[in-house]
């Protein structure tokens, strides 16, 4: 196990975790105070999209994540305008903006305005692809899923040099990752009103590689489990 290699991999921005923690702390305090008749929580709960804007701002400051951060900030601003009754619309009326944002993201990548991390880039919108990775030297990849389902099967891949890094950005999506038996999975995903579930086996005599999963998921889910390679 190469502990030094994992140490040398840049850590994700801790700001997203602070935003998520602050969100839970604030709402917990408000609801508790409301139950004790100390404050009227309804006066403050309408400001919850401020945390979405904050998460987008933190994301925009990360290298190569400016467009994605601006998209999240724009969605948060629109939601805030709606909850404060500054405009009249249902949040689901905004779904075409996801197409606009995804288009800008693709154009920015094509023009070289966004720096790509090592590995395969996968941007999916309104689709549910199943991708099988069979590389004998898997180093990682990047998944960006919006209102989609994404299944990444790594049971046919091998990690020659640990760790491999999988970056995930998911919004209103479900991402499923299947890893071979013997892989160690380290999750550093920041969830915002989302879920991250790792179901890999920990009782393994010999580790065959280490996979670090990083990223940000909002109103989405990420599930990681062990499996065996499918034969055709």
């Amino acid at each position: 196990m190469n502990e030094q290699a994992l140490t040398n991999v840049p850590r994700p921005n801790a700001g997203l975790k602070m935003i998520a923690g602050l969100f839970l702390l604030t709402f917990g305090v408000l609801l508790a105070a409301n139950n004790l008749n100390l404050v009227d929580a309804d006066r403050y709960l309408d400001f919850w999209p401020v945390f979405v804007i904050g998460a987008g701002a933190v994301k925009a400051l990360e290298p190569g994540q400016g467009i994605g951060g601006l998209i999240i900030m724009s969605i948060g601003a629109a939601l805030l305008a709606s909850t404060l009754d500054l405009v009249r619309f249902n949040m689901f009326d905004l779904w075409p903006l996801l197409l606009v944002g995804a288009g800008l993201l693709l154009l920015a990548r094509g023009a070289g305005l966004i720096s790509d991390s090592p590995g395969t880039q996968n941007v999916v919108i309104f689709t549910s692809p199943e991708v099988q990775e069979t590389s004998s030297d898997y180093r990682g990849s990047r998944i960006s899923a919006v209102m989609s389902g994404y299944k990444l099967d790594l049971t046919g891949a091998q990690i020659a040099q640990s760790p491999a890094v999988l970056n995930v950005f998911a919004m209103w999506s479900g991402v499923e990752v299947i890893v071979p038996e013997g892989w160690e999975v380290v999750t550093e995903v920041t969830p915002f009103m989302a879920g991250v579930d790792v179901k890999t086996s920990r009782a393994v005599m010999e580790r065959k590689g280490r996979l670090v999963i990083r990223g940000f998921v909002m109103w989405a889910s990420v599930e990681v489990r062990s499996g065996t390679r499918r034969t055709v």
Side-chain angles (χ1 to χ4, degrees), residues 63-82:
Q65 299 299 316
I67 298 296
L70 289 176
I71 293 174
I72 297 175
M73 291 176 64
S74 299
I75 292 174
L79 291 174
L80 182 61
S82 177

Side-chain angles (χ1 to χ4, degrees), residues 21-22 40 57 70 78 111 122 135 138 149 195-196 200 202 211:
L22 185 60
D40 182 7
L70 289 176
N122 300 282
S135 173
Y138 178 72
V196 180
T200 56
R202 296 185 178 181
L211 175 68

